[in-house]
Amino acid sequence: MPFLYQTFYNFRNLKNDTIDLSNREVYFIGENGQGKSNILESLYCAAYGISFRTHVDSQIIKNGEKNFSINSLYNNQNGETQKISVIFENNKKRIEKNGKKIQDRKELINTIPCILFCHDDMRFATGEPEARRFFIDQSLTLYDSSYIDDLRNYKKILKSRNSILKSHDYSMLDVFDEQLATYGLFIQDKRKKAIFQFNQIFGKIFTEITGIEGVSISYHSSWKEIETENGKIFPATQDIVNLLRQNRERDCFLETTFSGPHRDRIDFVKNHTLFVPTASTGQCRLISLILRVAQSVYYTRVTGLKPVLLMDDVLLELDPDKRAKLTNMLPEYDQLFCTFLPGEPYERYMHDTTKIYKISGGEWFDS
């Protein structure tokens, strides 16, 4: 099992102690505001070095304190036991792996592969295009460190290009156009391939749970593919450079870059028509949940590793039938951590070896 224990010090409202997480399935039961989600947040933080609830590290500290730390001991799927520490003190964060400070969070890739299901995932269905781009980018960065570099480089170049557009000093535009095209095409190519794989998983599960056929994920790249006699092909770097030059007058006038992966659209469609605008709230919630299931399956297919699933009160809004169908279709996992309110029928999903903790006032009690 990856997670063996988690030790807290001044983390949120949790008591400064160590919790045993060595079971394959662990459920946290408690009323809202008692600390259930904080435990999942700490597991996510150990996996990725950041919280899924805030990017401001000082907000994680227990009230009245100035620093915090979490320590995780886990066994990876190669049978190696390792330790991750996330320490915030003197307004600086430090991440250590086996006692050695890491310089970049991407060094944590594949260390503890967590897939998070949370209420905010609804934005992947109903939110702005940026949310869906984030989801696909996150899916790729779970295992591909080169994609992290490409994404970082693209964002850095885009920021520089927009800056000179605002300054009206266009002497470096040719240089930035070529760099933007190079990294942008890497990103679009990997996004296209990932969404193709996601569609092999997503549509089938959505149909089995809802009975609605033909719902799929549609990818509209900002830099369009080129029509040829043999079909569509991705443009070359020079094609994109030429496109940026053709649109330079517009970009200069508006002082921003109006094409590129940061403008890609990812939609949910049925029979070539947008699905979400006419979908119910429950259907949109299912889209977000099934995306996470697909993310887990995709990760396992690419890496051969089973992820750790973190499910934070996400079944609450589903009717009993769809809830049962979804839990039966969860992907293979190495560990599963779930939060539930006291009145939820979590007994229906648990197994003989499932560990149950009751959470109250930041403390945990064996059930």
Side-chain angles (χ1 to χ4, degrees):
M1 303 299 171
F3 285 105
L4 299 179
Y5 71 70
Q6 192 90 327
T7 299
F8 308 102
Y9 177 71
N10 293 342
F11 188 91
R12 294 289 191 184
N13 69 330
L14 299 175
K15 69 174 179 177
N16 296 335
D17 203 349
T18 301
I19 186 171
D20 178 2
L21 301 173
S22 57
N23 289 66
R24 185 170 182 265
E25 293 183 359
V26 184
Y27 291 177
F28 304 105
I29 318 300
E31 300 288 353
N32 290 327
Q34 299 304 305
K36 305 187 306 294
S37 297
N38 294 345
I39 296 177
L40 295 195
E41 181 183 21
S42 75
L43 301 180
Y44 188 93
C45 196
Y48 300 114
I50 58 172
S51 164
F52 65 84
R53 303 168 81 185
T54 178
H55 288 177
V56 181
D57 294 315
S58 60
Q59 293 179 358
I60 299 174
I61 305 172
K62 185 177 294 185
N63 287 339
E65 303 294 341
K66 296 181 179 180
N67 49 56
F68 77 84
S69 68
I70 55 173
N71 293 286
S72 298
L73 189 71
Y74 68 95
N75 282 338
N76 64 23
Q77 293 170 50
N78 294 322
E80 302 166 330
T81 301
Q82 301 189 56
K83 181 180 179 180
I84 294 292
S85 300
V86 180
I87 304 153
F88 183 83
E89 55 187 4
N90 299 322
N91 290 316
K92 292 183 179 180
K93 181 167 66 179
R94 182 174 79 255
I95 304 173
E96 296 178 355
K97 184 176 179 178
N98 296 328
K100 182 180 179 181
K101 181 180 178 181
I102 68 170
Q103 302 302 319
D104 192 319
R105 286 194 300 109
K106 74 177 183 179
E107 296 175 44
L108 291 175
I109 285 180
N110 278 342
T111 301
I112 312 176
C114 284
I115 304 292
L116 171 72
F117 296 68
C118 69
H119 182 79
D120 287 346
D121 291 348
M122 187 75 158
R123 63 197 172 103
F124 300 146
T126 61
E128 297 298 318
E130 181 182 5
R132 290 179 284 282
R133 292 193 295 267
F134 169 83
F135 173 80
I136 293 298
D137 288 342
Q138 184 191 63
S139 300
L140 287 160
T141 57
L142 283 172
Y143 67 91
D144 187 350
S145 60
S146 67
Y147 188 78
I148 295 176
D149 292 333
D150 291 340
L151 203 58
R152 287 175 175 175
N153 286 328
Y154 179 83
K155 289 179 178 179
K156 181 178 179 181
I157 294 161
L158 178 65
K159 183 178 180 180
S160 297
R161 188 179 192 271
N162 286 340
S163 178
I164 63 174
L165 287 172
K166 288 180 173 63
S167 72
H168 300 278
D169 177 7
Y170 307 130
S171 57
M172 292 292 291
L173 267 183
D174 285 344
V175 174
F176 284 125
D177 284 356
E178 185 163 349
Q179 293 176 341
L180 196 76
T182 299
Y183 289 112
L185 285 173
F186 288 154
I187 292 168
Q188 287 196 344
D189 182 52
K190 290 184 177 180
R191 283 179 178 174
K192 179 183 177 182
K193 290 176 180 176
I195 289 172
F196 176 82
Q197 293 296 325
F198 265 71
N199 267 325
Q200 312 309 305
I201 307 163
F202 176 85
K204 179 181 179 182
I205 299 176
F206 192 84
T207 299
E208 288 188 19
I209 294 179
T210 66
I212 300 173
E213 297 182 351
V215 177
S216 63
I217 308 169
S218 175
Y219 177 49
H220 306 276
S221 57
S222 174
W223 295 333
K224 302 300 182 184
E225 294 175 313
I226 298 172
E227 294 279 0
T228 70
E229 292 182 358
N230 298 319
K232 294 182 178 180
I233 61 171
F234 240 53
T237 301
Q238 190 57 49
D239 296 321
I240 300 305
V241 170
N242 293 340
L243 177 67
L244 290 169
R245 288 174 180 168
Q246 291 171 16
N247 294 328
R248 185 172 291 182
E249 183 176 350
R250 177 197 62 186
D251 287 357
C252 289
F253 177 75
L254 296 172
E255 298 182 344
T256 193
T257 304
F258 259 80
S259 69
H262 62 293
R263 300 281 182 175
D264 286 353
R265 278 183 31 243
I266 300 167
D267 298 311
F268 301 96
V269 298
K270 183 177 185 295
N271 299 327
H272 307 290
T273 302
L274 291 177
F275 178 71
V276 168
T278 59
S280 67
T281 301
Q283 289 168 345
C284 290
R285 170 57 67 192
L286 274 172
I287 285 175
S288 67
L289 289 170
I290 295 170
L291 277 178
R292 289 300 194 189
V293 172
Q295 187 179 55
S296 304
V297 174
Y298 176 75
Y299 176 82
T300 299
R301 286 182 179 178
V302 173
T303 66
L305 301 173
K306 299 175 185 177
V308 176
L309 304 185
L310 309 177
M311 304 189 72
D312 189 19
D313 283 344
V314 292
L315 300 178
L316 187 61
E317 297 179 16
L318 298 181
D319 64 57
D321 177 60
K322 290 184 174 58
R323 187 182 302 187
K325 287 181 178 179
L326 183 69
T327 53
N328 288 333
M329 298 183 70
L330 285 179
E332 290 189 85
Y333 52 82
D334 213 25
Q335 269 186 301
L336 172 66
F337 297 96
C338 292
T339 65
F340 294 98
L341 291 171
E344 292 187 74
Y346 58 86
E347 296 89 351
R348 297 179 185 175
Y349 321 124
M350 61 186 290
H351 300 91
D352 292 340
T353 58
T354 303
K355 180 74 172 180
I356 303 292
Y357 283 112
K358 297 294 180 66
I359 310 297
S360 178
E363 297 190 50
W364 46 90
F365 308 90
D366 286 333
S367 176

